[in-house]
Amino acid sequence: MDERNFFQQLAFDFTRCFITEDRWQLLLKGILVTIEVSLVAIALGTVIGFLIALCNLSKNKFLKTIGGIYTDVIRGTPSVTQLMIIYFVIFATAPIPKWLIASIAFGINSGAYVSEIIRAGIQSIDKGQTEAGRSLGLNASQTMTHIIMPQALKNIFPALCNEFIVLIKETAIVGYVGLMDIQKAGDFIKSATFSAFMPLFATAIIYYVLIKVLTLGLKQLEKKLRKSDVR
């Protein structure tokens, strides 16, 4: 196949995969679903992670046990299995949208990893900072909120960013519960056209662009957080 025929075939495959029957709209819907699921999961995972981190750091044996069991179970089982259990068992009869159930599943999964990141960040702060806060008359909650967490956040921010990026890529399994995300849209186009290269290549590019945009945005946010650092 010469160069001219190659590009003609490429243009034909592109038209057949994305233009015919407006199949590009499937990818657009898939992008919106992926973003929707990821944003809610990130927010939920952050909240859960913070609470579980406090449980793991607590001197209360009950809370510490709860946090330890949660972290151990979630990190020890595949995310796709967790998704299917939450969708087909826990929320099987609940009148909740599919995308929200998926968001809850990924948020619960991410929370276990975020909790370990936050726990490590809090423990990295010198104990003298806590003592300083208490000597200023702050209670434990105020000390954590105004002294420990602002410092810990700067230390753990890169790790949190990485977790968010991984989470977005993990949402590619939502097709198991019938959601039309980016990956599922690509698979549908592949099945309809019997062409693998173009749909899979387009799917990879879309994920790459989403991750790149998120990475650049998080880097800018990290720079702003570092501005207050003493050099």
Side-chain angles (χ1 to χ4, degrees), residues 57-179:
L57 291 171
S58 174
K59 295 180 180 180
N60 185 297
K61 290 185 178 181
F62 177 74
L63 292 178
K64 199 163 188 175
T65 300
I66 294 296
I69 293 174
Y70 174 87
T71 304
D72 187 53
V73 171
I74 297 299
R75 294 175 68 187
T77 54
S79 56
V80 64
T81 304
Q82 296 166 17
L83 172 63
M84 295 179 76
I85 289 174
I86 290 174
Y87 184 83
F88 291 110
V89 179
I90 298 176
F91 290 107
T93 58
I96 302 176
K98 289 182 179 180
W99 72 268
L100 185 54
I101 296 176
S103 298
I104 293 171
F106 286 113
I108 291 173
N109 177 269
S110 181
Y113 297 92
V114 171
S115 69
E116 287 299 284
I117 294 172
I118 294 176
R119 179 189 61 78
I122 292 174
Q123 290 182 327
S124 70
I125 305 302
D126 189 272
K127 291 183 178 179
Q129 297 291 318
T130 301
E131 295 172 357
R134 301 308 293 271
S135 66
L136 292 173
L138 302 178
N139 58 34
S141 177
Q142 292 172 328
T143 301
M144 178 64 71
T145 302
H146 300 293
I147 296 179
I148 304 301
M149 282 308 299
Q151 296 180 70
L153 181 60
K154 294 177 183 179
N155 294 337
I156 67 177
F157 192 77
L160 283 176
C161 293
N162 185 65
E163 169 59 23
F164 296 157
I165 289 170
V166 170
L167 178 61
I168 290 176
K169 291 187 287 186
E170 281 190 347
T171 60
I173 64 173
V174 295
Y176 279 96
V177 295
L179 272 178

Side-chain angles (χ1 to χ4, degrees), residues 179-213:
L179 272 178
M180 184 67 75
D181 70 320
I182 298 170
Q183 185 63 53
K184 190 67 174 180
D187 290 343
F188 183 87
I189 294 173
K190 178 164 64 70
S191 299
T193 61
F194 299 102
S195 175
F197 171 76
M198 194 63 70
L200 292 176
F201 191 67
T203 298
I205 290 177
I206 292 171
Y207 273 114
Y208 176 79
V209 171
L210 284 178
I211 297 301
K212 194 66 177 178
V213 171

Side-chain angles (χ1 to χ4, degrees), residues 210-224:
L210 284 178
I211 297 301
K212 194 66 177 178
V213 171
L214 176 63
T215 301
L216 293 174
L218 291 174
K219 281 185 177 180
Q220 292 300 315
L221 183 56
E222 184 179 0
K223 286 181 181 179
K224 290 183 179 180

Side-chain angles (χ1 to χ4, degrees), residues 37-49:
V37 171
S38 298
L39 288 177
V40 176
I42 287 171
L44 183 60
T46 301
V47 173
I48 292 176

